[in-house]
């Protein structure tokens, strides 16, 4: 069963009636197989799953794509329905507020800032972005009270920011990080991929290929770090990189001396579209 909810009042009434623990998948809609993988995992663990579709104005900068971000609710609901086909024991409650004031009522004036993690990499290029993300996710957690919430590792820094917020504020929710779903050739699925022309889509493969090249050079060994960093320096001669960096996978520190796991994060610009990707790597 899929039930759509558009107001906060309706959401709270429903949540009050459901006594069992529930899973939660927050999204901005325009669903693809990456989003659906989160839903599938949540449905494996819970009979009742909340799924939000909300293009959050607070996480977009003034010159970003908030206005043109794809909004495809009818198609999204069909995809959710298809995941539920043949599973009468499961329920998905889709919270898709039609008006942002359902989430941020007039006068709402609080913001959550996860200090260190939010200001590097993506946060440096998009000031205020992670405050917007943390604030909406906190608000959704508060309304939905999930036992577990599912996030894609595609947005690795976002995953770390949310995990840190949950730890610091002692929120009673477990954060589950889910693997990146890619197209066959390697491009990570993203709602923004549809901004790309067929030619740009081909060129965009440089992002995943570069991540793989660096990972191959690193080959899991601290002894190869200098070589991997040299390769990164060479790759970012291409001015389309916003960044390509090796960071500690737990805290995003650039100091990898004591790191056991690292993340290689990159953002490559194709025209005005920013494509994010990362790899998680062991380091011995
Ligand atoms: P978005 O709608 O872009 O805000 O994404 C909602 C959730 O889906 C976030 O937790 C994303 O990390 C996750 N997600 C987006 N793309 C992918 C992907 N290709 N693979 C796995 N998860 C993804």
């Amino acid at each position: 069963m899929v039930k759509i909810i558009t107001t906060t009042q309706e959401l709270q009434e429903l949540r009050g009636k459901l006594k069992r623990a529930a899973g939660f998948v927050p999204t901005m809609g325009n669903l693809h197989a990456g989003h659906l993988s989160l839903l599938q995992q949540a449905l494996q663990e819970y009979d009742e799953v909340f799924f939000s579709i909300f293009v959050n104005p607070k996480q977009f900068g003034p010159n970003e794509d908030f206005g043109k971000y794809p909004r495809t609710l009818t198609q999204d609901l069909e995809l959710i329905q298809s995941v539920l086909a043949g599973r009468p024991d499961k329920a998905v409650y889709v919270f898709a507020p039609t008006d942002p004031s359902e989430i941020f009522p007039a006068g709402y004036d609080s913001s959550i800032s996860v200090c260190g993690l939010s200001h590097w990499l993506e946060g440096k290029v998009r000031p205020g972005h992670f405050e917007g993300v943390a604030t909406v996710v906190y608000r959704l957690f508060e309304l939905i009270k999930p036992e577990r919430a599912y996030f894609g590792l595609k947005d690795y820094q976002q995953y770390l920011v949310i995990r840190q917020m949950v730890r610091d504020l002692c929120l009673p929710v477990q954060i589950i990080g889910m693997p990146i779903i890619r197209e066959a050739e390697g491009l990570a699925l993203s709602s923004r991929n549809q901004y790309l022309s067929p030619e740009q889509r081909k060129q965009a493969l440089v992002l995943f290929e570069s991540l793989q090249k660096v990972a191959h050079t690193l080959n899991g060994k601290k002894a190869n770090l200098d070589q991997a960093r040299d390769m990164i320096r060479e790759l970012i001669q291409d001015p389309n990189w916003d960044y390509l960096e090796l960071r500690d996978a737990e805290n995003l520190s650039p100091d990898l001396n004591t790191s056991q796991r690292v993340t290689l994060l990159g953002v490559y610009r194709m025209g005005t579209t920013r494509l994010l990707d990362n790899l998680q790597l062991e380091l011995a």
Side-chain angles (χ1 to χ4, degrees), residues 26-28 32 34-35 38 151-152 154-155 158 179-181 189:
T27 79
M28 298 205 298
H32 52 62
H35 299 112
L38 309 187
F151 289 83
K154 152 93 169 32
D155 300 283
Q158 166 174 285
I180 302 177
I181 306 295
L189 297 190

Side-chain angles (χ1 to χ4, degrees), residues 214 216-230 246 256-257 259 262 282-284:
V214 177
H216 188 253
T217 300
L218 186 63
N219 196 22
K221 298 193 180 78
K222 280 204 176 120
N224 296 336
L225 267 172
D226 284 345
Q227 230 181 315
R229 288 188 173 119
D230 284 346
L246 269 171
L256 307 182
N257 284 326
S259 301
V262 292
E282 302 291 325
L283 195 61

Side-chain angles (χ1 to χ4, degrees), residues 241-259:
W241 288 99
D242 269 355
Y243 54 84
L244 174 60
E245 295 200 33
L246 269 171
R247 296 284 181 121
D248 181 88
E250 285 299 312
N251 56 23
L252 294 186
S253 165
D255 177 358
L256 307 182
N257 284 326
T258 58
S259 301

Side-chain angles (χ1 to χ4, degrees), residues 27-81:
T27 79
M28 298 205 298
N30 190 242
L31 305 183
H32 52 62
H35 299 112
L36 298 182
S37 72
L38 309 187
L39 177 59
Q40 270 148 353
Q41 184 63 32
L43 283 167
Q44 267 187 29
E45 296 172 15
Y46 295 95
D47 290 339
E48 282 158 331
V49 170
F50 286 84
F51 191 102
S52 64
I53 295 181
F54 176 60
V55 185
N56 170 30
K58 287 191 190 289
Q59 71 188 70
F60 287 79
N63 299 317
E64 295 182 357
D65 56 344
F66 176 70
K68 76 164 186 176
Y69 197 86
R71 290 157 171 90
T72 51
L73 186 58
T74 308
Q75 183 191 311
D76 292 351
L77 292 172
E78 280 167 14
L79 285 170
I80 292 172
Q81 195 79 59

